[in-house]
Amino acid sequence: MTTATVKDLYPTRGTTEVTVPRQDPVVWGAPDTPGPFETADLQAYERDGFLAVDQLIGPDEVEVYKRELDRLVADPAIRADERSIVEPKSKEIRSVFEVHRISEVFANLVRDPRVVGRARQILGSDVYVHQSRINVKPGFGASGFYWHSDFETWHAEDGLPNMRTVSVSIALTENHDTNGGLMIMPGSHRTFLGCAGATPKDNYKKSLQMQDAGTPSDEALTALAGEYGIRLFTGKAGSATWFDCNAMHGSGDNITPFPRSNVFIVFNSVENTAVEPFAAPVRRPEFIGARDFTPVR
């Protein structure tokens, strides 16, 4: 299927920045669909575009995933793999993508009913993994992720047609209010911000280290923050934040001694599979934007 056969509801990467009201539901599943989320949880998610879970996994499980993260980051073969992204200054590993394919430990996490069950409730269908990664933010200078909507990139560069995608960030270290935690603008998921500027070929090689194409203007971010405010997430290791694909979010640098690492999983509906990119000359590699739409079982 090509973009020519799918209507583009969310134009972006044109000559000017544009705003478009959301054209899709936020919660696709029925409110009474059985699963880990209560009805009130889904209502809060629909309102705010995110939901924090104080303890998604227990302390013993956290230790298992932390050891696996440390093993992967220390493995020279993983570092040499194109799925590893390094910090531009320190040259330390920043992220390892497609981690559910590299590691059976993280593959099991993806299949955990506490994880995939919540994704199915939100998206109202079977789901597959559009993207997975571990993020490593060691202390003393790990760089942040600038403000952005994930859907803007996934629509423009991966070809996801609709906002039927949800992310979960599971903390493997404590999220303090000082060590570069996740920030989200509550309610921003209801407005799509189409960014200005064409997408360079192989943009992902630069954007995974430092965002450029697909970056909102200061004026647009000021307006959004003025309307919606900013929420900073803190929590113990094992806590998690579920957030909508169109929520405006980012994180700051970590200049504290306290590391911040997490595992990040993106679930997409099997009824929203990727077509050709809507605003990029070529697709991104499959380890960033999956083309295997096999449901998680």
Side-chain angles (χ1 to χ4, degrees), residues 36-215:
F37 278 139
E38 301 291 339
T39 299
D41 296 330
L42 294 173
Q43 291 170 339
Y45 178 88
E46 183 167 28
R47 180 190 67 234
D48 296 331
F50 60 81
L51 188 72
V53 177
D54 288 338
Q55 188 177 64
L56 182 67
I57 57 175
D60 291 345
E61 296 170 291
V62 168
E63 289 305 313
V64 170
Y65 297 121
K66 281 177 63 178
R67 285 196 298 270
E68 182 68 353
L69 180 149
D70 291 342
R71 183 188 72 81
L72 292 173
V73 171
D75 186 339
I78 297 296
R79 182 182 178 85
D81 194 292
E82 65 174 346
R83 290 173 287 191
S84 292
I85 309 301
V86 300
E87 288 279 358
K89 292 182 180 178
S90 70
K91 304 304 179 184
E92 296 297 323
I93 287 182
R94 173 190 180 105
S95 301
V96 179
F97 280 80
E98 214 171 40
V99 71
H100 71 295
R101 294 190 181 277
I102 293 174
S103 163
E104 187 61 26
V105 173
F106 286 113
N108 289 334
L109 179 62
V110 166
R111 294 190 290 262
D112 190 308
R114 294 169 295 179
V115 177
V116 69
R118 284 178 163 90
R120 292 184 186 124
Q121 280 184 281
I122 291 171
L123 301 181
S125 69
D126 279 333
V127 298
Y128 71 94
V129 176
H130 176 70
Q131 185 186 105
S132 72
R133 66 178 187 261
I134 48 174
N135 293 324
V136 184
K137 262 195 176 180
F140 300 119
S143 55
F145 293 83
Y146 197 68
W147 290 105
H148 64 286
S149 153
D150 286 330
F151 179 75
E152 192 279 337
T153 297
W154 298 338
H155 183 68
E157 300 186 38
D158 297 338
L160 295 192
N162 295 95
M163 294 180 183
R164 199 170 179 178
T165 314
V166 62
S167 301
V168 59
S169 174
I170 304 172
L172 300 182
T173 53
E174 185 166 357
N175 287 277
H176 303 282
D177 58 4
T178 53
N179 65 340
L182 175 68
M183 297 180 287
I184 299 180
M185 298 184 188
S188 60
H189 62 302
R190 296 194 175 278
T191 301
F192 175 74
L193 180 63
C195 297
T199 309
K201 186 178 179 181
D202 292 337
N203 177 57
Y204 76 94
K205 293 180 179 178
K206 180 179 179 182
S207 67
L208 295 180
Q209 291 183 325
M210 187 171 293
Q211 189 86 357
D212 187 8
T215 301

Side-chain angles (χ1 to χ4, degrees), residues 230-243:
I230 296 173
R231 167 80 182 273
L232 170 66
F233 291 89
T234 59
K236 299 289 187 181
S239 63
T241 305
W242 293 84
F243 59 101

